[in-house]
Amino acid sequence: QVQLVESGGGLVQFGGSLRLSCVVSASTLNHYGIAWFRQAPGKEREGVACISGSGASTAFAGSVKGRFAISRDTAKMTVYLQMNSLNADDTGVYYCAAEYLGGCRRHLPETDFGSWGQGIQVTVSS
């Protein structure tokens, strides 16, 4: 397992943007599929976005397509989640997750990922 540390959360106004960062303690990102999940109050955790170990493949939940982007900086061992046009439904605790030699399946099942960060709060105010 690897350690993952999220940062960049906070309070943002409706329609605003926020960028989350996930620093991965591994020798290289190239072996790890990395995903972002979120959990809203009273709801189950859901997959938001994923990037494959090669960086060539990504996947997004339908609710965030066109608004969120996932990218990575292999030199900084960091994966980013750029979130734009935020609304109240985007409020929740966001988690970074990793899986060795993992890919990005379409429905982003959380059981595909074995290492998790502690989570970070994102709150969108209206």
Side-chain angles (χ1 to χ4, degrees):
Q1 288 192 347
V2 295
Q3 289 188 333
L4 306 137
V5 179
E6 303 98 337
S7 64
L11 178 65
V12 62
Q13 287 189 335
F14 176 88
S17 297
L18 208 58
R19 188 178 78 162
L20 303 183
S21 299
C22 173
V23 177
V24 183
S25 64
S27 58
T28 174
L29 282 181
N30 294 334
H31 295 157
Y32 290 89
I34 306 291
W36 287 94
F37 289 79
R38 68 185 180 188
Q39 187 167 22
K43 295 187 178 180
E44 293 186 354
R45 190 157 55 185
E46 63 172 350
V48 175
C50 177
I51 187 165
S52 65
S54 68
S57 177
T58 58
F60 295 90
S63 59
V64 306
K65 275 183 181 177
R67 299 189 298 120
F68 288 16
I70 189 169
S71 62
R72 65 182 195 170
D73 184 329
T74 53
K76 294 183 178 180
M77 297 299 293
T78 301
V79 175
Y80 303 100
L81 183 68
Q82 178 67 44
M83 306 185 292
N84 301 321
S85 301
L86 287 163
N87 59 59
D89 290 338
D90 297 316
T91 292
V93 178
Y94 282 70
Y95 299 88
C96 181
E99 182 63 24
Y100 184 69
L101 299 182
C104 295
R105 289 204 287 167
R106 180 180 176 185
H107 297 296
L108 302 175
E110 65 175 273
T111 52
D112 281 3
F113 297 88
S115 298
W116 292 80
Q118 79 285 357
I120 193 163
Q121 179 69 42
V122 171
T123 303
V124 182
S125 65
S126 57

